[in-house]
Amino acid sequence: MVSVLSRRFVPVAASALAVAAAVLVPQVSDTSRDTTAAASQVASSKHDDFVIVGHRGASGYRPEHTLASYELAARMGADFIEPDLVTTKDHVLVTRHEPEIGGTTDVAAHPEFAARKKTKVLDGTPLTGWFTEDFTLKELKTLRAKERIPALRQHNTVFDGHYQIPTLQEVIDLTKRLSRELDRPIGIYPETKHPTYFQQQGLALEPELVKTLTRNNLNRRDAKVFVQSFEVANLKALHNQLRVPLVQLTSSAGAPYDFVASGDKRTYADVVSAKGLREVATYAAGVGPSKDQVIPLDATGKLGTPTALVRDAHQAGLVVHPYTFRVENNFLPANFDSSTVAADSGNLFGEIAAYRAAGIDGLFSDNPDIAVAAEAEDK
């Protein structure tokens, strides 16, 4: 067992947490070349071949998608931080898990924005709330973030009201600063949220993403960047515009919304079939499945037998980065629960070990410090 890793453990003045980090520099081929070769280059690295992504930052410890959450993830040792991208009315990319922000900001407490509350159809489902595309960036900057799941993460609520909604540019600037400070590259792993929804409103995310990456010299083969999406058509379009690796996200239920909107009957189950993964490999370097697509739960809620997904993805030349690994019992398989209390911390080390044994190439975690420590133990 390894207790200390070179250049991993870094003191954090503002936190009592010890932190750690690995280095992965993806080496990906030009988009005009074979994406299977790109995946092979992504999987091999100078220092490490396992990717730890701070899911929405270190969202197990700070309100998600805030600069504080991203910074803590980097200091805890995440290789990448994950900004989910939505847009403002004036077409600035900002980071929120959804365009609806009633659950993650204090917008409801702002009487000047009461009339902005409305019902919209998001990917075929009516949703009532406040939406980023109805606010200018200046207006959004008057709001403050809050914890999305306070019943499970009551300790995070102490930070409610302290952080703004960041722009993608602010996230990139943060990673540049932290890369210098920590003496290792901190990558970004942005997700385009609800691409069809924003395209239908004339606020497509992709052109602004390409512009921002290019402006920051991140649209290049050796940039520490992955771009991900639950939809397919926008990834295929980005394949011709970006030199960084793309990752096809999938879910254990439903279908990519662009398939639904176009009448394509295929589902996510089709996407992760052996045939589907071979198609994914024509435009992407990796797949980001839901955890239960890799190892489903049995009738008792415990981990069952791994599926063929990892094997089939590797045969297609794809890396596999499943989501989301969280420490609370509420999110763990029953055999890793510590109690019957949903908010209590369970055995995330055990769950990660099971998935590493299944052959995954990386993971998304709300608790990147635990993922880093689990990686150290596995060496």
Side-chain angles (χ1 to χ4, degrees):
M1 179 182 296
V2 178
S3 58
V4 178
L5 291 178
S6 174
R7 296 177 61 192
R8 273 188 172 257
F9 289 90
V10 181
V12 184
S15 173
L17 295 168
V19 295
V23 176
L24 174 77
V25 182
Q27 303 292 325
V28 298
S29 60
D30 211 302
T31 53
S32 62
R33 300 184 181 181
D34 180 50
T35 51
T36 300
S40 298
Q41 291 173 314
V42 169
S44 64
S45 64
K46 293 181 179 179
H47 298 286
D48 193 6
D49 61 357
F50 194 80
V51 176
I52 295 173
V53 185
H55 184 245
R56 310 176 197 173
S59 52
Y61 310 104
R62 298 290 187 276
E64 65 188 34
H65 292 310
T66 59
L67 292 181
S69 181
Y70 298 138
E71 178 163 356
L72 184 56
R75 293 187 180 279
M76 284 180 162
D79 301 308
F80 292 81
I81 56 177
E82 184 212 24
D84 290 342
L85 302 180
V86 296
T87 185
T88 65
K89 184 178 182 179
D90 43 348
H91 217 176
V92 179
L93 296 181
V94 295
T95 70
R96 290 288 89 189
H97 179 54
E98 296 289 345
E100 199 289 304
I101 54 174
T104 60
T105 74
D106 62 356
V107 64
H110 286 252
E112 68 272 25
F113 297 135
R116 306 278 178 97
K117 188 176 184 180
K118 60 187 66 174
T119 299
K120 296 190 177 187
V121 179
L122 181 64
D123 290 2
T125 302
L127 182 64
T128 300
W130 292 263
F131 296 80
T132 59
E133 68 271 17
D134 294 330
F135 294 78
T136 65
L137 178 62
K138 183 177 179 180
E139 289 172 331
L140 277 184
K141 284 293 187 178
T142 68
L143 307 181
R144 294 298 180 268
K146 67 178 185 179
E147 173 56 37
R148 182 177 58 88
I149 46 175
L152 292 176
R153 293 174 175 168
Q154 194 277 332
H155 57 285
N156 283 11
T157 63
V158 71
F159 297 101
D160 286 359
H162 288 272
Y163 307 126
Q164 293 183 332
I165 297 175
T167 65
L168 174 59
Q169 184 60 56
E170 288 173 327
V171 176
I172 292 172
D173 292 342
L174 174 67
T175 62
K176 290 178 179 178
R177 175 175 67 81
L178 290 174
S179 295
R180 292 191 299 269
E181 181 180 337
L182 301 176
D183 193 27
R184 62 182 180 83
I186 306 300
I188 60 170
Y189 207 128
E191 178 187 345
T192 57
K193 300 296 295 191
H194 305 286
T196 296
Y197 170 80
F198 283 114
Q199 289 164 11
Q200 290 170 342
Q201 298 180 78
L203 290 169
L205 304 173
E206 295 76 18
E208 296 306 310
L209 174 58
V210 173
K211 288 179 189 176
T212 303
L213 292 178
T214 302
R215 184 174 67 245
N216 286 276
N217 194 30
L218 292 174
N219 187 7
R220 65 179 201 274
R221 293 188 311 163
D222 61 344
K224 196 176 174 91
V225 179
F226 286 93
V227 172
Q228 55 178 333
S229 179
F230 277 101
E231 295 189 18
V232 175
N234 71 319
L235 284 183
K236 288 185 174 181
L238 286 171
H239 172 64
N240 296 316
Q241 301 173 62
L242 291 178
R243 295 180 175 88
V244 300
L246 309 180
V247 174
Q248 178 66 65
L249 296 172
T250 65
S251 175
S252 56
Y257 187 69
D258 56 317
F259 282 10
V260 176
S262 67
D264 190 324
K265 300 301 183 183
R266 288 177 295 168
T267 67
Y268 283 123
D270 296 311
V271 174
V272 298
S273 68
K275 179 182 178 181
L277 290 168
R278 288 193 295 272
E279 180 181 345
V280 170
T282 65
Y283 61 88
V287 60
S290 173
K291 289 188 303 184
D292 55 354
Q293 292 181 289
V294 176
I295 309 179
L297 302 181
D298 64 20
T300 67
K302 297 180 179 179
L303 281 185
T305 302
T307 68
L309 190 154
V310 171
R311 181 199 66 200
D312 291 342
H314 287 167
Q315 288 181 349
L318 298 167
V319 293
V320 182
H321 299 163
Y323 65 90
T324 305
F325 291 81
R326 298 169 164 129
V327 75
E328 295 88 0
N329 289 329
N330 184 74
F331 303 112
L332 287 166
N335 46 321
F336 297 113
D337 287 348
S338 62
S339 71
T340 59
V341 179
D344 282 355
S345 296
N347 183 12
L348 181 56
F349 279 91
E351 184 190 34
I352 289 174
Y355 278 83
R356 287 184 66 106
I360 64 173
D361 304 291
L363 56 81
F364 291 79
S365 181
D366 291 6
N367 309 92
D369 55 341
I370 299 176
V372 169
E375 183 186 9
E377 289 189 354
D378 196 50
K379 289 191 173 183

